[in-house]
Amino acid sequence: MARRSLALTLALLFSATTFAVFACVGWYLYVALAHQVRKQDDQDIVLAARHVRRLAAELGSAQDARDHALRLSSAVLGNQALALRIVDAQGHPVAAHDEGATFDEPPRPLDDAVTANDIDLSAARAGALVLAPDARIVDTAIREWRSVQGVPVRSIAFDVALRNGETVRVGIARDLRGPLSLLDSYRDTLGLAGSIGTLVVLLGSYALVRLALRPLRQIADQSREVTAYRLDRPIRVKHIPSELATLVESLNAMLERLHAGFQRLSQFTTDLAHDMRTPLSNLRGATEIALARPRSDDEYQAVLASNLEECERLSRMIENVIFLARAEHPRFEMRRRAFDLRDELERIAEYFEGLADEAGLAISVQGSASLSADVELLRRALSNLLANALRYTPPGGTIVLAVQAHEATLDIMVENPGTPIPPEHLERIFERFYRADPSRTRGPESTGAGASAGLGLAIVRTVMELHGGKVRAESDARSTRFILSFPRA
């Protein structure tokens, strides 16, 4: 299915709107002109009728009217569209004038012209259209009809009282073909002008819309060049309109997020390979040494124990990676419930009590509150923080698990004394596989059940994001503090 052109669609809409405007304006002008022409024609009829009445009223009898027929006909002279007919009370002709009798010698009226004889002034035909001798001649008395030949006519009929008491009936008619022809020509001119104007608008708007959409084409061209390896190149368009500036900013922000995501993924892959290579190398090296020559049972048991430790480390690493991958899935389900936070903290402290005793450390729980959260995820986050605190707290120190209730948040703080973390590392320590030690070597403090292979703090941040909360680290000469902030309902 062919895709519709936006430029053509907009051009057609503009053209349709223009055509509608032209049609409305043309119709208004046509009606206004028709009204003006009709008003002017009716004024000519009324003026001619008043002039004839004034002249006829000065005559003494119908015979005088016949004798002065030319004088009476002068009221319509000079206007070939007007025709005059005057009859006496018995219907006998008194005076008549039409277009052919005025402008041609000898008279040659048009075949379908309105002649004086076309004006039927009989009482049966005229009826209420005939004005009384004392009635005022106004344009509302004008009536429209068609001649025998079908010519449209507007006329007025009225009686005139002569001085001897006789009356004559006068009819003045106007041929409407001229005005109607003018209106038809005007209508055709308006239609032609509107059609040409609409065509011009169609072509002009199409060209202008294509010109206005040029930045969109530039955005599309640059977007086609975006690949996984070229995400650091933002979209740049010269003379971009304000309506598209937001789109470009959004696209560039999206590219920045994708670029950062790809960089994190690339770094994560590199770090994961690096961290997995160490235990695999240890496994291989220990096995190769054990197979180099016959060993005693104790030596084989030592190798197997070392290999088991490395396997456990790999297992924890894989488990943590799987958890992070699942937690980032949009359909990850949490099982929230309300529970007593102090009871849970004491349960976790009791679980780590054996390791703390071996390291010469103490664990203290302070404060209490009720929290609605996923208990399993909270245990996992706190276990990682406690394992981290156990590794870096000097012997004789005390690790504190404290609950602090605020107006908007409920904070859980894990505090331990020890060497402070440099400020430049406080935010990055929550990244996956990030270590403040640039050598990235695994010292003895990272071994054991609490080792997290550089993913412990990343898991803590993920757990807090799932709960809609935040985690932050503070470190100074006194202690290092990890604070979990849960939003209060």
Side-chain angles (χ1 to χ4, degrees):
M1 183 177 178
R3 288 178 293 183
R4 184 173 56 182
S5 169
L6 178 59
L8 181 59
T9 301
L10 292 176
L12 290 175
L13 290 176
F14 292 154
S15 302
T17 303
T18 302
F19 181 78
V21 172
F22 282 168
C24 293
V25 173
W27 175 82
Y28 173 79
L29 293 177
Y30 178 83
V31 171
L33 179 62
H35 176 74
Q36 188 66 27
V37 170
R38 179 65 54 83
K39 184 178 180 181
Q40 183 64 42
D41 291 343
D42 290 350
Q43 185 178 6
D44 292 344
I45 296 174
V46 170
L47 291 177
R50 290 176 180 176
H51 187 53
V52 171
R53 172 183 274 185
R54 185 168 58 253
L55 293 177
E58 297 175 356
L59 301 176
S61 64
Q63 185 58 42
D64 290 343
R66 291 186 179 89
D67 296 338
H68 295 83
L70 291 179
R71 183 184 177 190
L72 294 174
S73 300
S74 66
V76 296
L77 289 176
N79 192 334
Q80 61 180 357
L82 291 178
L84 169 71
R85 186 184 182 196
I86 305 177
V87 297
D88 57 18
Q90 290 74 33
H92 300 142
V94 173
H97 175 81
D98 53 41
E99 179 269 336
T102 304
F103 295 98
D104 293 312
E105 284 296 337
R108 293 187 297 112
L110 298 175
D111 293 339
D112 58 352
V114 177
T115 63
N117 292 329
D118 290 331
I119 307 176
D120 188 355
L121 298 177
S122 63
R125 172 66 182 269
L129 298 180
V130 179
L131 298 177
D134 57 347
R136 178 177 173 81
I137 299 177
V138 292
D139 56 2
T140 56
I142 298 176
R143 297 295 182 266
E144 187 169 332
W145 48 279
R146 286 186 176 271
S147 67
V148 177
Q149 291 81 11
V151 178
V153 176
R154 286 180 66 81
S155 67
I156 190 171
F158 56 93
D159 289 337
V160 181
L162 303 179
R163 279 197 275 176
N164 65 351
E166 294 182 77
T167 61
V168 293
R169 181 162 293 176
V170 181
I172 299 178
R174 191 181 193 306
D175 188 342
L176 297 180
R177 289 176 300 171
L180 293 179
S181 177
L182 172 64
L183 291 175
D184 290 343
S185 176
Y186 186 68
R187 179 193 61 206
D188 295 340
T189 301
L190 287 176
L192 179 62
S195 300
I196 294 177
T198 302
L199 180 61
V200 171
V201 170
L202 174 62
L203 299 177
S205 60
Y206 180 77
L208 291 177
V209 169
R210 280 191 58 84
L211 181 62
L213 294 179
R214 183 179 179 184
L216 276 180
R217 293 194 295 273
Q218 294 178 353
I219 294 174
D221 293 339
Q222 295 186 35
S223 298
R224 280 192 288 267
E225 298 176 358
V226 174
T227 64
Y229 305 100
R230 302 181 65 180
L231 293 174
D232 57 336
R233 299 185 183 181
I235 296 176
R236 303 187 185 277
V237 180
K238 294 182 178 179
H239 310 296
I240 187 170
S242 58
E243 292 79 4
L244 296 180
T246 304
L247 173 62
V248 173
E249 292 174 359
S250 300
L251 289 176
N252 286 335
M254 179 187 68
L255 290 178
E256 290 180 3
R257 292 193 298 270
L258 290 176
H259 180 58
F262 270 90
Q263 283 188 324
R264 287 196 300 269
L265 180 60
S266 177
Q267 185 65 39
F268 172 75
T269 305
T270 303
D271 293 339
L272 180 61
H274 183 281
D275 280 58
M276 292 185 70
R277 182 175 59 184
T278 301
L280 288 175
S281 299
N282 293 338
L283 283 171
R284 181 175 180 176
T287 305
E288 289 178 349
I289 292 175
L291 295 176
R293 61 181 177 82
R295 305 282 180 177
S296 65
D297 292 342
D298 293 338
E299 290 177 327
Y300 281 126
Q301 287 181 355
V303 170
L304 291 176
S306 175
N307 288 352
L308 180 60
E309 182 181 342
E310 298 298 339
C311 289
E312 289 177 351
R313 184 183 178 200
L314 283 173
S315 178
R316 287 193 302 271
M317 187 184 304
I318 294 173
E319 180 184 355
N320 290 335
V321 170
I322 293 176
F323 170 79
L324 291 173
R326 289 177 177 175
E328 292 179 351
H329 197 278
R331 296 184 179 180
F332 182 81
E333 295 184 0
M334 295 176 57
R335 297 178 177 85
R336 287 178 177 264
R337 66 179 178 87
F339 57 93
D340 186 272
L341 188 54
R342 183 178 182 88
D343 292 343
E344 189 61 35
L345 294 181
E346 289 179 348
R347 187 177 294 109
I348 296 174
E350 184 179 355
Y351 176 80
F352 281 88
E353 187 175 358
L355 294 175
D357 291 341
E358 291 180 3
L361 305 176
I363 300 177
S364 173
V365 178
Q366 301 175 2
S368 64
S370 178
L371 177 65
S372 177
D374 188 312
V375 179
E376 296 299 327
L377 294 181
L378 178 63
R379 289 174 181 171
R380 186 163 197 157
L382 291 176
S383 296
N384 288 340
L385 291 178
L386 272 175
N388 191 67
L390 289 173
R391 285 196 299 271
Y392 296 104
T393 301
T398 300
I399 301 173
V400 178
L401 297 179
V403 179
Q404 299 174 346
H406 303 283
E407 182 177 354
T409 62
L410 181 63
D411 295 347
I412 302 175
M413 181 179 66
V414 179
E415 181 180 15
N416 68 281
T419 304
I421 301 175
E424 63 271 16
H425 298 300
L426 284 178
E427 184 61 30
R428 297 199 60 189
I429 57 177
F430 294 100
E431 297 178 6
R432 300 174 185 181
F433 295 107
Y434 181 81
R435 291 186 179 88
D437 182 8
S439 64
R440 301 183 57 86
T441 56
R442 181 172 63 93
E445 72 278 0
S446 63
T447 62
S452 59
L455 294 175
L457 295 182
I459 291 176
V460 173
R461 183 173 65 177
T462 300
V463 169
M464 294 308 300
E465 290 175 350
L466 291 173
H467 285 85
K470 294 181 179 179
V471 58
R472 69 181 187 276
E474 299 175 355
S475 185
D476 50 35
R478 179 174 62 87
S479 64
T480 297
R481 299 168 295 280
F482 289 89
I483 303 172
L484 309 181
S485 296
F486 291 86
R488 304 191 69 172

